[in-house]
Amino acid sequence: MAVPATGQLLLPRRLSGSGPGVPAAPATAGPGLWLVDTTEYRAYAAGQAPGTLDALELARAAEFVRAADRDGYVCAHVALRRLLGAYLGMPARDVVVERAPCAHCDEPHGRPVVPGGALHFSLSHCDGLSLLAFAVTPVGVDVEPVPDAAAVAESADVLHPREAAELAALPAGERPLAFTRVWTRKEAYLKGTGVGLAADPSMDYVSAGPVPVSPPGWTLGDVLAPEGHHAALALADPPDGR
C-alpha cells in the first residue's frame, strides 16, 4: 500500500477475530494499515488477552474503571501483538515490545518499538476504534472523532498560523471536519517522529485543506475512517529516497 500524493484516501483493512486476515509477510510494499472495531473484536480479544498480553499490559487493562475504556485498550493491544507476530513471523505472545530512547532526554521511555528496528509500528485509538500501521520506516497514525464547533474554537491556538487562517476562511459548518483533518495529520506526524505532543504542534504546517502538505522527509496521507471520524498516516521517506 503506497501513500497517495493526490489526496486519495488510504483504505485500511479490518481485523477480525476469526479466520485468516492477518498478514503473512513484512510490510515491504508500503505501510500495512489496519482498523479494529471494539464492538466486533471485543469477545475475541478478551479470550486472547491472558495468553497474548504481557504482565504490564494486563495490569494496565485492569486499572481502567470504565468497561468501554478497558475493552478498547485490550482490543488495541491484542490486535497490535497479533499483527506484529504475523509481520515478524512469530507467535503473538513471543513479541517483545521495548521503549526507544526519549527524543528529549534519551531515557528509555520513548515510543514503543520492536528490537532491531526492522519493523516500525504506530497505534491510535479513540472511543470504539483502533488504527494500527506497520512499515519498514518510522510511521505514525492518528484517528479522532470530529469535535463540535465549540471545541474547535477553543483549539485554534494549537494550529500553524496558515492552518488557522485556512480554517477561519471556511463556513462555520465545515470547520469541525477540517480541524480534525489537520489535527490527525499533525499528530500522526509528531508520533512518527517520536516527539509526540511534547513538541509545539503549531510549528509544523500540514494544511487544513483536502490534500495534506508533507513535512520534509515525510509523506502524509488521509485514511478512510467510519462516519464521524477522521484519520491520517505519516510515513518517513526511505533513506535512499526510493
Side-chain angles (χ1 to χ4, degrees):
M1 178 190 299
V3 178
T6 60
Q8 292 181 315
L9 291 175
L10 283 163
L11 303 180
R13 296 172 65 180
R14 279 186 174 264
L15 188 65
S16 67
S18 61
V22 296
T28 55
L33 194 58
W34 298 82
L35 189 69
V36 178
D37 184 305
T38 299
T39 300
E40 297 173 0
Y41 201 63
R42 177 174 52 212
Y44 175 85
Q48 294 294 310
T52 301
L53 303 183
D54 65 22
L56 289 176
E57 290 167 322
L58 291 171
R60 177 73 179 107
E63 292 175 353
F64 288 101
V65 175
R66 292 180 64 237
D69 295 333
R70 183 169 57 253
D71 290 344
Y73 178 89
V74 169
C75 285
H77 286 263
V78 167
L80 174 62
R81 286 186 170 273
R82 183 182 177 198
L83 288 163
L84 282 173
Y87 280 118
L88 295 170
M90 65 175 64
R93 63 181 177 274
D94 293 341
V95 171
V96 175
V97 178
E98 301 176 335
R99 287 282 181 174
C102 173
H104 298 282
C105 68
D106 285 333
E107 292 297 318
H109 53 240
R111 64 182 174 182
V113 295
V114 293
L119 182 68
H120 299 265
F121 67 91
S122 183
L123 164 65
S124 176
H125 57 87
C126 61
D127 289 346
L129 290 174
S130 297
L131 182 65
L132 304 96
F134 305 84
V136 295
T137 61
V139 64
V141 289
D142 189 47
V143 59
E144 303 282 351
V146 177
D148 58 27
V152 172
E154 294 170 358
S155 304
D157 58 347
V158 304
L159 302 182
H160 187 280
R162 288 175 62 190
E163 295 162 350
E166 291 166 355
L167 211 64
L170 292 173
E174 296 180 18
R175 290 175 193 163
L177 177 59
F179 173 84
T180 317
R181 186 162 58 204
V182 67
W183 181 253
T184 53
R185 294 169 183 170
K186 196 177 294 283
E187 186 159 350
Y189 167 65
L190 293 175
K191 288 172 67 176
T193 64
V195 175
L197 293 179
D200 182 355
S202 69
M203 297 298 293
D204 298 292
Y205 175 72
V206 297
S207 173
V211 179
V213 173
S214 300
W218 289 79
T219 301
L220 299 183
D222 291 333
V223 176
L224 182 65
E227 185 176 357
H229 296 77
H230 198 277
L233 174 143
L235 183 67
D237 297 338
D240 58 9
R242 289 185 298 179

